Amino acid sequence: MQAWNQHDATKAGTYLAKNVEYYDVTVGTSQKGQVAARDQVIKVFIDAVPNLKWQMTSAPIVSKDSIAFQWRFSGKNTGKWGTTPATNKPISFEGVSFVRVDHGKITYQGDYYDAANLNKQLGW
């Protein structure tokens, strides 16, 4: 989360295992592998919302090899979102992430959030 808030996709990618599976519920398919997750999820968000702020909104639930937490994502869409032009609109939405960790690396991350609300804020 700190690397995301530093707007550094490369650094954020270093926390992912080589064989990570990153699932974004709004897309409906997983990105598999460190490079795909970094470039097709993390970098896409950072490029679209260069001033993003991602923060936990409650204490995480932690076990031996997993973490779950609620969060808020906010910022202004001043960059292209994939192939969609910037809207220059502010966004703020909440979600939850489920993360599995093995040997200090994220092996799975699933992000669940209200895409309809996000799309409405963006004017899509």
Side-chain angles (χ1 to χ4, degrees):
M1 187 174 277
Q2 181 181 16
W4 281 66
N5 287 324
Q6 292 171 342
H7 314 120
D8 189 340
T10 300
K11 183 176 180 181
T14 65
Y15 295 98
L16 305 174
K18 296 285 185 207
N19 64 342
V20 67
E21 178 180 351
Y22 201 119
Y23 179 70
D24 180 327
V25 72
T26 66
V27 176
T29 58
S30 296
Q31 292 298 321
K32 295 186 179 178
Q34 183 185 46
V35 172
R38 180 196 65 211
D39 293 350
Q40 300 303 317
V41 180
I42 300 169
K43 190 170 181 351
V44 168
F45 273 89
I46 290 173
D47 287 351
V49 188
N51 70 334
L52 72 83
K53 183 177 180 185
W54 188 29
Q55 65 187 87
M56 281 190 204
T57 57
S58 65
I61 300 168
V62 180
S63 72
K64 178 183 168 197
D65 62 355
S66 61
I67 304 164
F69 57 94
Q70 292 177 289
W71 47 261
R72 178 177 300 111
F73 186 98
S74 59
K76 188 172 184 180
N77 174 222
T78 57
K80 286 171 52 175
W81 210 304
T83 59
T84 305
T87 64
N88 293 306
K89 294 183 178 183
I91 60 170
S92 180
F93 60 98
E94 295 186 6
V96 64
S97 291
F98 297 98
V99 179
R100 286 194 293 268
V101 179
D102 186 31
H103 293 92
K105 297 285 186 177
I106 297 170
T107 59
Y108 173 85
Q109 181 162 335
D111 292 339
Y112 300 82
Y113 55 94
D114 183 357
N117 182 37
L118 172 59
N119 291 341
K120 183 178 177 182
Q121 291 177 52
L122 291 168
W124 294 349

